[in-house]
Amino acid sequence: MDALLSPGYQPFAVAGLVMAGLVLIETVSLVGGFSLSHFIDKGVDVDAYDGHHADLGSAGWLSGMLGWVNAGRVPALIFLIVWLASFAVAGFVIQTVAIGLWTALPTLAASLAAFLLATPATRFTTRLVSFIIPREETYVVSNDDLVGRVAEVTLGPLDQGPPGRVKVRDAHGNWHFLIAKVADGHAPVPVGGQALLVDRSGSTFLVVPAPDELKASS
């Protein structure tokens, strides 16, 4: 344990602790009915770094690199967590192997090597994650355009208690991840159930259990 706290491991230990803290904060926020990553994406124009949307010729090398590692394909917080995890793991492996063969590398050299390894690892991991958690594409349609569509409950159940989360596909095929709760006087909707978006109050959508005919056509 003392070896893991040595100066050669410090950057990777810090990265691991920050990553764990972000995971904990996001988990607590989801339990509370909202998502930290949702609000970060609202404030960060990650589309500028998406390899599918950015003009890399004018955005420069930084946009090109971020697009290469799929920064725009997953929520910004997920991207940061994946990169921190990749950097921490790569750094611990590099230093452990170096110590086993001879001696610990200088912290700067180990950090640079870990960065170089973390970059392709982040690209690979975020590409896999993007198929599971596609980033919300709110720039295509407004929230009002989503009212009337059928969504799937991903965090719930949705009832008269704290809001949960639903995912819904818009007319363009883009996924949106929304805060939602059941409208007054309607039955709860369990996780995995389908709900009809009928109204919204601020950023919270009001839903009712989806009628069978809409479930079949959604």
Side-chain angles (χ1 to χ4, degrees):
M1 180 61 68
D2 291 339
L4 296 180
L5 298 179
S6 64
Y9 283 103
Q10 282 181 357
F12 318 117
V14 170
L17 289 173
V18 172
M19 181 271 296
L22 291 176
V23 171
L24 178 61
I25 292 172
E26 174 68 357
T27 301
V28 171
S29 70
L30 285 173
V31 172
F34 63 97
S35 171
L36 177 61
S37 63
H38 172 80
F39 292 103
I40 291 177
D41 280 345
K42 288 291 187 182
V44 178
D45 183 16
V46 288
D47 287 322
Y49 309 123
D50 187 345
H52 293 282
H53 302 292
D55 179 2
L56 300 184
S58 60
W61 68 271
L62 180 59
S63 293
M65 184 180 71
L66 290 174
W68 188 79
V69 294
N70 305 313
R73 287 192 169 192
V74 296
L77 185 62
I78 300 300
F79 171 80
L80 180 58
I81 288 172
V82 170
W83 190 88
L84 287 170
S86 300
F87 178 76
V89 170
F92 277 114
V93 170
I94 288 170
Q95 286 291 47
T96 300
V97 171
I99 291 173
L101 294 177
W102 182 40
T103 187
L105 295 176
T107 302
L108 181 59
S111 298
L112 178 59
F115 177 85
L116 294 177
L117 289 177
T119 301
T122 300
R123 171 182 167 84
F124 175 78
T125 305
T126 52
R127 182 172 291 274
L128 294 179
V129 172
S130 68
F131 292 107
I132 304 172
I133 313 176
R135 190 176 57 80
E136 180 182 351
E137 302 288 356
T138 55
Y139 63 90
V140 177
V141 296
S142 70
N143 282 336
D144 290 334
D145 293 325
L146 299 175
V147 173
R149 303 192 71 84
V150 175
E152 178 184 343
V153 179
T154 58
L155 178 66
L158 300 185
D159 49 29
Q160 302 304 321
R165 300 279 290 184
V166 300
K167 69 175 183 178
V168 60
R169 195 191 297 268
D170 64 26
H172 303 277
N174 298 310
W175 285 105
H176 299 256
F177 295 83
L178 311 171
I179 302 171
K181 65 184 302 182
V182 166
D184 291 340
H186 290 273
V189 184
V191 174
Q194 292 185 300
L196 177 64
L197 306 178
V198 295
D199 200 357
R200 70 186 184 94
S201 176
S203 61
T204 301
F205 282 76
L206 301 179
V207 307
V208 300
D212 290 338
E213 60 270 20
L214 292 182
K215 291 180 181 180
S217 61
S218 62

